[in-house]
Amino acid sequence: AQSVAQPEDQVNVAEGNPLTVKCTYSVSGNPYLFWYVQYPNRGLQFLLKYITGDNLVKGSYGFEAEFNKSQTSFHLKKPSALVSDSALYFCAVKPGGSYIPTFGRGTSLIVHP
Amino acid sequence: EAQVTQNPRYLITVTGKKLTVTCSQNMNHEYMSWYRQDPGLGLRQIYYSMNVEVTDKGDVPEGYKVSRKEKRNFPLILESPSPNQTSLYFCASSLGGEQYFGPGTRLTVT
């Protein structure tokens, strides 16, 4: 069975500072990894994905994530946080060839002015 | 505009009164799914469908039904809602990779 862990319920960072939102996973076979963002009163929006290739993937709004196979991690990063980045972030994983993703519990990112 | 729509967006109902939440996508996606979002639990999949007339249970299917008679529509049916089904529901569609989510339906069962 696949699983996703987001070890931090909340991450606080000052505007302009780099941010990291952590995600580790467990899955059989090659993983498809995703990050989504949810703004208040909105549905989830796709940010980026890793399927194969370069371990560093770039996505929307200046976010990037690094796939680390040995540590089974897929941390979300941004070099300089904005107040408008404050939202709920979800990591998700599914095995290649499967239609069934598993989501983490979400991490609330708060960027302080 | 490519989108997933859900209706209604908000619904307050009473225990036992059957209801349907509609979901429609205009992207010709084969895969559609329903999730519920509860505080501290993240998103949990209720049902999914890989194509017309093909549906399967997700992690928390009890108390829910779905149908997929057309590719674009995937309604969620609660035949006898109970208070523990009070939640925020999301429909999503996909070609097999990233998912596109609807705006959500906030359901309250009293």
Side-chain angles (χ1 to χ4, degrees):
Chain A
Q2 64 217 44
S3 64
V4 174
Q6 293 182 242
E8 301 152 317
D9 290 335
Q10 185 171 303
V11 170
N12 291 279
V13 64
E15 188 173 32
N17 283 0
L19 70 87
T20 299
V21 182
K22 296 179 181 177
C23 172
T24 59
Y25 66 90
S26 173
V27 70
S28 299
N30 294 323
Y32 285 25
L33 294 153
F34 307 86
W35 275 102
Y36 293 85
V37 60
Q38 184 181 29
Y39 298 103
N41 301 314
R42 302 282 297 275
L44 278 72
Q45 297 177 34
F46 168 72
L47 271 181
L48 51 80
K49 67 181 177 185
Y50 172 84
I51 295 177
T52 187
D54 194 346
N55 289 346
L56 184 65
V57 294
K58 295 187 183 297
S60 306
Y61 311 123
F63 284 93
E64 58 190 28
E66 186 166 13
F67 170 63
N68 187 318
K69 187 173 183 178
S70 62
Q71 296 185 3
T72 60
S73 67
F74 190 56
H75 301 330
L76 181 70
K77 300 181 180 184
K78 188 174 182 181
S80 179
L82 300 172
V83 172
S84 58
D85 292 331
S86 298
L88 190 57
Y89 290 81
F90 289 95
C91 181
V93 67
K94 72 180 186 77
S98 167
Y99 282 95
I100 308 171
T102 297
F103 283 79
R105 295 187 177 189
T107 298
S108 177
L109 173 67
I110 299 175
V111 181
H112 302 278
Chain B
E1 179 189 356
Q3 61 181 347
V4 178
T5 57
Q6 294 178 228
N7 283 293
R9 294 289 312 280
Y10 302 91
L11 179 59
I12 300 174
T13 190
V14 296
T15 299
K17 186 176 181 182
K18 181 179 179 179
L19 66 91
T20 299
V21 184
T22 65
C23 173
S24 183
Q25 51 96 3
N26 62 2
M27 294 169 280
N28 203 36
H29 287 169
E30 292 181 344
Y31 174 81
M32 297 185 74
S33 60
W34 276 102
Y35 295 87
R36 59 178 290 173
Q37 182 179 15
D38 301 289
L41 297 177
L43 266 74
R44 294 180 291 169
Q45 192 176 59
I46 302 170
Y47 267 95
Y48 66 95
S49 169
M50 290 187 281
N51 214 326
V52 176
E53 303 292 0
V54 181
T55 63
D56 209 344
K57 297 177 180 178
D59 296 322
V60 288
E62 294 78 20
Y64 304 95
K65 285 177 57 177
V66 293
S67 69
R68 189 89 181 274
K69 292 182 170 56
E70 305 164 283
K71 200 171 190 177
R72 64 182 291 126
N73 297 322
F74 190 45
L76 179 70
I77 303 156
L78 284 72
E79 299 238 335
S80 183
S82 62
N84 65 11
Q85 292 178 299
T86 292
S87 188
L88 180 59
Y89 291 87
F90 289 102
C91 180
S93 74
S94 169
L95 280 173
E98 66 270 23
Q99 295 187 74
Y100 296 83
F101 285 82
T105 295
R106 187 167 292 281
L107 172 65
T108 302
V109 184
T110 62

